[in-house]
Amino acid sequence: MTQAEKTKMEEEIVDVLKTVYDPEIPVNIYDLGMIYKIDVQDDGSLEMDMTFTAPSCPAADFILEDVRSKVESVRGITAANINLVFDPAWDQSMMSEEARVELGFE
């Protein structure tokens, strides 16, 4: 797989991640800064690190399954290994400018 193909797949992954929402927050998880790593391997497998805004997120299972099904639907992805991490801990500084505006932080 070429670097251009990997880059295109990573862009498509970002696009689908922007359709995943925490039911309690009206901003997608990508703009919230909950995605720490997107790494497409040469064999089409995906290594991804993500977090939640709080370790005890009541919608964690729903969000994780939504992420998994959507990233696995990206053409060329053969498998998705989604690692749930809490280091570094998520904070508001990780949000995009658009997310901060949408939530009234700016």
Side-chain angles (χ1 to χ4, degrees):
M1 176 179 306
T2 67
Q3 186 58 47
E5 290 170 325
K6 283 184 184 182
T7 300
K8 182 172 179 1
M9 288 172 71
E10 288 170 0
E11 290 170 356
E12 290 176 28
I13 290 166
V14 168
D15 288 345
V16 298
L17 289 172
K18 287 185 174 186
T19 69
V20 177
Y21 288 81
D22 180 323
E24 299 177 346
I25 305 171
V27 175
N28 69 72
I29 65 167
Y30 188 82
D31 286 331
L32 281 172
M34 293 169 49
I35 305 301
Y36 290 170
K37 177 179 88 172
I38 298 171
D39 187 14
V40 176
Q41 307 294 311
D42 287 335
D43 65 357
S45 63
L46 169 66
E47 286 291 325
M48 190 169 94
D49 291 351
M50 68 173 288
T51 195
F52 291 113
T53 56
S56 60
C57 176
D61 290 341
F62 168 78
I63 295 169
L64 202 53
E65 189 52 41
D66 198 20
V67 167
R68 182 178 311 284
S69 67
K70 287 182 177 176
V71 298
E72 286 180 343
S73 74
V74 172
R75 193 179 55 171
I77 295 297
T78 57
N81 183 29
I82 301 167
N83 304 301
L84 190 55
V85 298
F86 294 100
D87 186 27
W90 179 89
D91 66 51
Q92 294 175 1
S93 71
M94 296 173 171
M95 292 190 289
S96 69
E97 183 178 340
E98 294 85 5
R100 287 193 299 275
V101 169
E102 177 73 23
L103 295 174
F105 293 116
E106 289 191 8

